[in-house]
Amino acid sequence: MERPPGAGRGPRKRRQIDWELIACGWSGHALVGTDAAELRPQDAPVAREDPAHPVRWHRCLRCDSWVALPPPSAPATRHPPDRDAITVPLRGRALRDRVVLRLIAVDRVVHFLILVLLGVVVLVVAANEHSLRSSFYRVVTALQGGVGASPIQTTHVGILKDLNKVFSLRSGDLRAIGAALLAFGCLEGAEAVGLWFGRRWAEYLTFLATAILLPLEIYELTDKISALKVIGFLINLAVVVYLLYAKRLFGLRGGGAVDEAERAAALSWETIERHTPPWTELGTGA
């Protein structure tokens, strides 16, 4: 009697994060030939018959797991597709890069929404500066309980202090700030779209935009430290380091050519065959 492929007792390589298993857990295994009537010898890397049991073992082309399934009761094809007709799913470094870049893209979407919302609010305030300023001061005065008190001269804290700074600006300055927020928000949106689809230009754009802001974030941390500022700084620093080192920007570690070569190697049939285990004997555990 034989073991399923890959079921030997040998030690398995330990990895910190198995991106393939995460992707398969999210979207399911990438199996081939589940609807085929027969299996050929050349189909062994993707599907095999079990001579001892009425099941087939189908190999996931993403995570290399072997899944036992019954032969199809109503086959749609005679044989599994040939290699040229099979699209190998992202795996290895290519899959890791896709996941990490999309996580960064999600972070940039959050930035985009916040910046655009702030930009719109600032422009609305600029367009209605006088009426909003009068309403703000009336509310603050009522809250303070000082009928004759001047909110401009009163020391505010928290959000009242920030609002007082906003209403102390001229409408022209507010429009400039609003336009800058919208422009930077659009930049973050462009980064998000490019990173989501794995575009090289988006990696450079994200690196430059993030690296430029790091000195400003360091300055803000020296002025006042908060948990959100520290977390934001660490995230942006990790993004810069990852893009520069792992994605080999600006020719680092061989540049984009090496990155593309490693990506192609991870998706090649040579790599898949190298990770294809033999059938092992149940009794020996070889």
Short mmCIF file of all heavy atoms in Angstrom, two decimals, residues 6 8-14 285:
data_model
loop_
_atom_site.label_atom_id
_atom_site.label_comp_id
_atom_site.label_asym_id
_atom_site.label_seq_id
_atom_site.Cartn_x
_atom_site.Cartn_y
_atom_site.Cartn_z
N GLY A 6 3.83 13.26 -1.08
CA GLY A 6 4.21 14.26 -0.09
C GLY A 6 3.87 13.89 1.33
O GLY A 6 3.97 14.72 2.22
N GLY A 8 5.44 11.60 3.24
CA GLY A 8 6.53 10.94 3.94
C GLY A 8 6.78 11.54 5.30
O GLY A 8 6.26 12.60 5.65
N ARG A 9 7.61 10.88 6.11
CA ARG A 9 7.85 11.32 7.47
C ARG A 9 9.06 12.24 7.58
O ARG A 9 9.53 12.52 8.68
CB ARG A 9 8.05 10.10 8.39
CG ARG A 9 6.81 9.24 8.54
CD ARG A 9 6.95 8.35 9.76
NE ARG A 9 5.78 7.48 9.92
CZ ARG A 9 5.75 6.20 9.58
NH1 ARG A 9 6.83 5.64 9.04
NH2 ARG A 9 4.67 5.49 9.77
N GLY A 10 9.60 12.66 6.48
CA GLY A 10 10.77 13.52 6.53
C GLY A 10 10.44 14.88 7.10
O GLY A 10 9.28 15.32 7.11
N PRO A 11 11.46 15.61 7.60
CA PRO A 11 11.22 16.94 8.18
C PRO A 11 10.77 17.93 7.12
O PRO A 11 11.21 17.88 5.98
CB PRO A 11 12.58 17.32 8.77
CG PRO A 11 13.57 16.55 7.96
CD PRO A 11 12.89 15.24 7.64
N ARG A 12 9.87 18.80 7.50
CA ARG A 12 9.37 19.83 6.59
C ARG A 12 10.04 21.16 6.90
O ARG A 12 10.35 21.47 8.05
CB ARG A 12 7.86 19.99 6.73
CG ARG A 12 7.09 18.72 6.39
CD ARG A 12 5.61 18.97 6.46
NE ARG A 12 5.21 19.94 5.45
CZ ARG A 12 3.96 20.37 5.32
NH1 ARG A 12 3.01 19.93 6.12
NH2 ARG A 12 3.66 21.26 4.39
N LYS A 13 10.27 21.93 5.86
CA LYS A 13 10.88 23.23 6.02
C LYS A 13 9.95 24.18 6.76
O LYS A 13 8.77 24.30 6.41
CB LYS A 13 11.22 23.81 4.64
CG LYS A 13 11.92 25.16 4.71
CD LYS A 13 12.22 25.65 3.31
CE LYS A 13 12.87 27.03 3.36
NZ LYS A 13 13.15 27.55 2.00
N ARG A 14 10.47 24.82 7.78
CA ARG A 14 9.66 25.75 8.55
C ARG A 14 9.76 27.14 7.95
O ARG A 14 10.83 27.62 7.63
CB ARG A 14 10.11 25.76 10.01
CG ARG A 14 9.95 24.44 10.71
CD ARG A 14 10.34 24.55 12.16
NE ARG A 14 9.47 25.50 12.85
CZ ARG A 14 9.65 25.87 14.13
NH1 ARG A 14 10.66 25.36 14.83
NH2 ARG A 14 8.83 26.73 14.68
N GLY A 285 8.08 4.39 5.27
CA GLY A 285 8.12 5.82 5.60
C GLY A 285 9.21 6.54 4.88
O GLY A 285 9.66 7.60 5.30
#
